[in-house]
Amino acid sequence: MKPVALAFLWHLHQPLYRLRGERVCFMPWVRLHAIRSYYDMVRVLEEFPEVRVTFNLTATLIEQIRAYEGGASDLFWETSAVPAGDLDEARRVFIFDHFFAAQERHMIADLPRYADLLERRNRARRLRGPAEAWKEFTTADYTDLLALLDLSWFGFKAREDFPELRALRERGLSYTRQNIADILAIEKEILRRILPLYSGAAARGQAEISRSP
């Protein structure tokens, strides 16, 4: 069989969610993809030193990761930092509507409490209507939901590098404010590591970094 020359080019694409100078943006996708696939992809290279790849890092992605490094945030993250007992109606509606932003089969279903909350949300919307459905959840439900969205997004390398994540996933329910603070702290640490990891892979000759507008 004739040898095949195969090149891997991974395009890490994120549009610009954050206006220039904006501290808090709406969409969390840069942060959530960073703690999942962006971290996994560069960390797993260390296990396969013979593999060479090319990463395409868009300027908008780098800019937004650096914003997080500098203390910027997003509306989802800001909401997670509020104790569930202090959540007003608008925030509870926001969490009820948006904190199931994860793939159901491979992310939500892996966390039984999360899957149960999704089923209850769908049932409440049918029985109580979309305007009243959020009242179905208790403060404990909202606390768990704040933890479970982010727990569902952490990738396999994050769970290996931070054993406390495995313990938090195994806990399953009845999360505390300290649990949520620990989750957010791990996210901050991963965001701090991301760009140096890609720079390191390039420096040792295992990755090329391409750029695109």
Side-chain angles (χ1 to χ4, degrees):
M1 182 179 294
K2 186 178 179 179
V4 174
L6 182 63
F8 290 98
L9 189 153
W10 298 103
H11 174 57
L12 278 57
H13 166 74
Q14 288 294 333
L16 185 62
Y17 300 112
R18 188 180 305 281
L19 300 177
R20 190 171 300 280
E22 183 181 37
R23 180 184 172 276
V24 180
C25 66
F26 180 77
M27 296 295 187
W29 306 125
V30 167
R31 170 173 59 90
L32 294 180
H33 282 285
I35 67 173
R36 191 173 179 85
S37 51
Y38 298 166
Y39 187 71
D40 286 349
M41 292 171 74
V42 69
R43 275 285 289 107
V44 78
L45 278 182
E46 298 172 11
E47 298 178 13
F48 303 93
E50 73 284 358
V51 172
R52 303 288 186 270
V53 299
T54 300
F55 292 111
N56 179 242
L57 302 179
T58 63
T60 54
L61 174 60
I62 293 171
E63 179 180 340
Q64 291 175 98
I65 291 175
R66 285 178 173 160
Y68 279 110
E69 289 177 347
S73 185
D74 58 68
L75 184 56
F76 286 68
W77 215 1
E78 295 283 303
T79 303
S80 295
V82 178
D86 295 339
L87 294 168
D88 57 19
E89 177 179 332
R91 284 196 176 107
R92 289 185 181 230
V93 170
F94 177 75
I95 295 167
F96 190 84
D97 288 342
H98 296 288
F99 270 57
F100 293 94
Q103 205 279 337
E104 183 173 353
R105 181 177 178 185
H106 298 291
M107 297 167 71
I108 294 177
D110 282 346
L111 297 161
R113 167 67 162 157
Y114 203 9
D116 176 66
L117 288 171
L118 177 60
E119 182 179 346
R120 287 176 53 202
R121 184 188 74 162
N122 293 341
R123 183 172 63 248
R125 283 177 166 176
R126 292 193 305 270
L127 298 178
R128 303 182 66 158
E132 299 289 322
W134 66 273
K135 297 178 181 178
E136 180 75 14
F137 282 7
T138 65
T139 297
D141 292 332
Y142 280 106
T143 301
D144 283 354
L145 193 49
L146 292 174
L148 289 164
L149 170 64
D150 288 19
L151 283 175
S152 75
W153 271 90
F154 283 107
F156 67 95
K157 275 298 174 187
R159 295 198 295 271
E160 288 179 15
D161 293 347
F162 299 90
E164 55 268 48
L165 286 175
R166 295 197 298 273
L168 285 165
R169 286 175 64 91
E170 291 169 2
R171 179 186 179 97
L173 73 166
S174 300
Y175 291 99
T176 66
R177 287 306 307 163
Q178 186 57 53
N179 293 151
I180 294 173
D182 292 342
I183 291 168
L184 299 183
I186 293 169
E187 293 184 19
K188 290 179 182 178
E189 177 59 21
I190 290 175
L191 287 161
R192 186 190 67 79
R193 293 183 186 186
I194 287 282
L195 294 180
L197 282 169
Y198 281 91
S199 296
R204 65 178 182 265
Q206 197 173 2
E208 290 186 63
I209 306 296
S210 70
R211 299 287 296 276
S212 61

